[in-house]
Amino acid sequence: MISAVCAVVLGVLLTGSDLADRWREDRSQRARIAEISDSLDRFQWAVLEHLAEARHNFLYRDRARPGGEECRAFIATREAANRFGIPDEVAVYRLADRIIRERDQQALR
């Protein structure tokens, strides 16, 4: 009985710790996105928008159709973004996803 209670308490503590870690990670990622978006100039924004479009096309490609045009386009735009000073990290891809969502919302209005 005592070991069952200890196991439950430990499970609750680990779950709480995991949630806190995810919250801290999400918060730091939002801060990194804000830092990246504040540091980009107009040309880099254009490159990032191109990367966002290529990433969107890659993620939502027709997987049944042979060919890797979307894959090649995404890799090429990612390399171009790196050349123009846009870091290759998760925060950039989250920012690109946000650009696509905002663009799609604007199109619906």
Side-chain angles (χ1 to χ4, degrees), residues 11-73:
V12 169
L13 290 174
L14 290 175
T15 302
S17 174
D18 184 46
L19 289 174
D21 289 343
R22 280 194 265 160
W23 180 78
R24 277 191 294 275
E25 181 181 319
D26 190 46
R27 187 171 157 207
S28 67
Q29 192 174 79
R30 282 195 306 265
R32 181 68 181 136
I33 288 172
E35 179 185 325
I36 290 170
S37 63
D38 290 343
S39 69
L40 298 178
D41 62 20
R42 192 171 17 173
F43 182 73
Q44 288 173 324
W45 267 106
V47 172
L48 181 63
E49 288 173 352
H50 190 70
L51 176 66
E53 186 66 35
R55 183 170 192 271
H56 179 76
N57 292 338
F58 172 72
L59 292 175
Y60 298 101
R61 69 190 182 281
D62 183 9
R63 288 174 171 76
R65 195 181 80 217
E69 299 89 26
E70 293 90 357
C71 295
R72 286 191 297 274

Side-chain angles (χ1 to χ4, degrees), residues 83-101:
R83 275 196 309 270
F84 292 112
I86 299 172
D88 185 25
E89 58 183 87
V90 173
V92 171
Y93 297 124
R94 298 292 179 252
L95 182 57
D97 291 343
R98 186 189 311 169
I99 290 170
I100 290 295
R101 278 193 306 273

